[in-house]
Amino acid sequence: MEQDDDLDLSALDDEELVAQMHDDLYDGLAEEIAEGTQILLDRGWDAQKVLADALVEGMRIVGIDFRDGILFVPEVLLAANAMKAGMELLRPLLAETGAEQVGKIVIGTVKGDIHDIGKNLVGMMLEGAGFEVIDIGINIEAETYIAALEEHKPDVLGMSALLTTTMPYMKVVIEEMKKRGIRDDYIVLVGGAPLNEEFGAAVGADAYCRDAAVAAETAQALVTARRLAAA
Ligand code: B1M
């Protein structure tokens, strides 16, 4: 998929532009993704729609060719960087909130796993829902999660995993919390593409969140319920 240097993205209609953005994401063209994102926003597109139709859908296509051995890690890294360039423009819109501070969350991707796009999106949506978000990054060990809980005293711990090989580590973290007698001090939410509700329950999380919007809704609902129960 060659990028035509002379292509004027603003001359494309919405459908053509979104298709071009899928190609540009595939080709890891960060500047073009930022430009396309801005054009869609300027045309009145809602940030959620830009995210879902142009960026997440583009990354889904990348994921298929990655799985099938057509794309390799360096190319997918470029695609991820391009996606992040678009997300940076959406960040203030997704994080925009009139809501009062609802609570605090510590979030990180588990040990052995360096995928961070989904986690970052969850962070943005939670900010939008009125949470203070402490993002402790990727490849996080149980000790580091627990140190962050002790330091920041959040309402919620969020863990992300994108690999079937790393998702069992969520149980390690929760078991360590139990061992220290602090499990019930926090609401634990888990998410990531290979997880499901059953897995969330099996590792002892309070809830599995299918996507960033569900994570924001669930965090809000569980924090509110806990406050009411404590009142
Ligand atoms: Co990776 N990778 N990757 N990768 N990668 C996947 C996950 C994979 C499905 C690709 C495939 O084969 N089709 C596959 C996993 C297979 C499996 O285990 N089932 C895979 C593999 C195998 C690997 C490597 C092992 C490849 C290799 O080295 N041979 C390697 C592992 C590295 C490691 O982590 N140790 C690897 C590396 C990479 C890159 C570094 C190249 C890059 C990551 C860059 C980055 O994140 N900065 C990468 C990418 C980009 C992907 C794909 C293509 C895209 C992931 C993504 O960002 N999706 C992915 C294929 C795919 O998922 N289609 C793939 C977009 C994002 C918005 O969605 O992350 O699902 P997602 O997040 C969603 C929800 O899941 C949920 O909300 C988010 C937003 O709605 N959610 C949460 C996520 N976390 C949450 C936390 C919560 C709540 C909800 O807490 C409360």
Side-chain angles (χ1 to χ4, degrees):
M1 297 193 195
E2 270 302 297
Q3 167 74 8
D4 178 351
D5 285 341
D6 297 330
L7 189 62
D8 178 5
L9 293 180
S10 62
L12 302 177
D13 68 27
D14 287 5
E15 200 177 320
E16 291 165 340
L17 177 55
V18 168
Q20 183 61 42
M21 287 175 73
H22 294 165
D23 284 355
D24 288 346
L25 195 75
Y26 193 98
D27 291 338
L29 301 175
E31 268 180 42
E32 285 75 1
I33 288 298
E35 191 186 339
T37 300
Q38 192 57 56
I39 292 171
L40 289 174
L41 290 174
D42 291 344
R43 287 182 188 174
W45 277 46
D46 174 72
Q48 289 285 359
K49 186 168 164 61
V50 180
L51 180 67
D53 294 7
L55 301 183
V56 172
E57 174 57 16
M59 191 52 96
R60 191 187 67 79
I61 297 165
V62 168
I64 292 169
D65 279 4
F66 189 28
R67 179 196 65 205
D68 295 345
I70 297 164
L71 288 178
F72 296 95
V73 169
E75 290 135 330
V76 179
L77 264 177
L78 285 177
N81 281 341
M83 172 134 183
K84 285 181 179 179
M87 277 165 60
E88 274 316 303
L89 291 167
L90 300 180
R91 177 185 291 274
L93 302 168
L94 294 174
E96 217 166 58
T97 175
E100 276 175 39
Q101 179 90 25
V102 172
K104 208 192 266 192
I105 178 167
V106 161
I107 188 165
T109 303
V110 297
K111 184 179 170 188
D113 200 321
I114 62 169
H115 295 86
D116 69 352
I117 294 177
K119 164 185 70 61
N120 296 349
L121 261 179
V122 171
M124 287 180 200
M125 295 287 289
L126 279 156
E127 273 174 36
F131 277 81
E132 181 186 346
V133 177
I134 295 131
D135 184 341
I136 56 174
I138 53 174
N139 191 22
I140 301 297
E141 301 212 15
E143 290 294 326
T144 312
Y145 279 113
I146 287 165
L149 294 177
E150 279 164 3
E151 181 185 348
H152 299 288
K153 310 240 175 303
D155 305 280
V156 184
L157 168 65
M159 290 190 277
S160 177
L162 264 287
L163 300 171
T164 45
T165 49
T166 58
M167 61 188 211
Y169 194 74
M170 291 173 166
K171 189 169 168 62
V172 175
V173 178
I174 293 173
E175 288 302 316
E176 189 57 37
M177 289 169 75
K178 282 186 187 161
K179 218 161 51 180
R180 296 179 188 221
I182 60 167
R183 165 63 186 91
D184 293 337
D185 296 346
Y186 306 96
I187 294 161
V188 180
L189 302 182
V190 295
L195 279 61
N196 57 32
E197 223 147 279
E198 206 182 356
F199 175 83
V203 296
D206 290 293
Y208 153 74
C209 308
R210 188 183 64 240
D211 60 30
V214 169
E217 279 164 24
T218 310
Q220 261 176 321
L222 294 186
V223 167
T224 307
R226 185 170 278 221
R227 296 224 170 117
L228 285 175

